[in-house]
């Protein structure tokens, strides 16, 4: 089983931008879809975005659509989450996961440890 690693989190003011990255420790996602989820204090882990294994299809949660975008490296061994126009309600620990093309976190077997994103008011 593979390990995933997220990076790029930090503290930004409202309206700012961050780029998160997700990489597989083995160097490849093995053709699996890569999803992004987040968990804010007092809330359940929620779906943010997902990209298909070939990088051709992406789906976004309504709360982040038109603000966040997913891209992949040329070798598709790194997935980036570009976050623009950040809001305080985007504050959460962000996780990437590899698995099927699904919005359900329970369907993913490989997860990173998370990276903290904090958006100040």
């Amino acid at each position: 089983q593979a390990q995933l690693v997220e990076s790029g989190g930090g503290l930004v003011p409202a309206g700012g931008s961050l780029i998160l990255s997700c990489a597989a420790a083995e160097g490849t996602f093995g053709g699996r879809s890569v999803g992004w989820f987040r968990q804010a204090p007092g809330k359940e882990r929620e779906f943010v975005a997902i990209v298909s294994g070939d990088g051709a299809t992406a789906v976004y949660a309504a709360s982040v659509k038109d603000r966040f975008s997913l891209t992949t490296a040329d070798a598709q061994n790194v997935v980036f989450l570009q976050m623009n126009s950040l809001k305080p309600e985007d504050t959460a620990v962000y996780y990437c996961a590899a698995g099927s093309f699904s919005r359900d976190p329970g369907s993913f077997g490989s997860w990173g440890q998370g990276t903290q994103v904090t958006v100040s008011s």
Side-chain angles (χ1 to χ4, degrees), residues 83-100:
M83 307 188 297
N84 299 318
S85 301
L86 284 163
K87 305 174 181 179
E89 50 263 46
D90 294 318
T91 295
V93 177
Y94 284 71
Y95 301 87
C96 66
S100 60

Side-chain angles (χ1 to χ4, degrees), residues 33 35 37 47 49-50 99-108:
S33 298
F37 300 82
F47 168 78
I50 190 166
S100 60
F101 196 77
S102 173
R103 293 172 177 257
D104 182 6
S107 69
F108 292 82

Side-chain angles (χ1 to χ4, degrees), residues 13-57:
S17 298
L18 282 174
I19 302 175
L20 306 184
S21 64
C22 175
E26 295 178 333
T28 178
F29 292 104
R32 294 174 294 173
S33 298
V34 178
W36 285 92
F37 300 82
R38 66 187 183 187
Q39 189 164 19
K43 295 185 177 181
E44 300 289 331
R45 187 169 298 188
E46 67 174 346
F47 168 78
V48 175
I50 190 166
V51 62
S52 59
D54 62 2
T57 304

Side-chain angles (χ1 to χ4, degrees), residues 22-24 27-29 72-79:
C22 175
T28 178
F29 292 104
T72 60
D74 290 341
Q76 297 189 351
N77 56 357
V78 181
V79 175

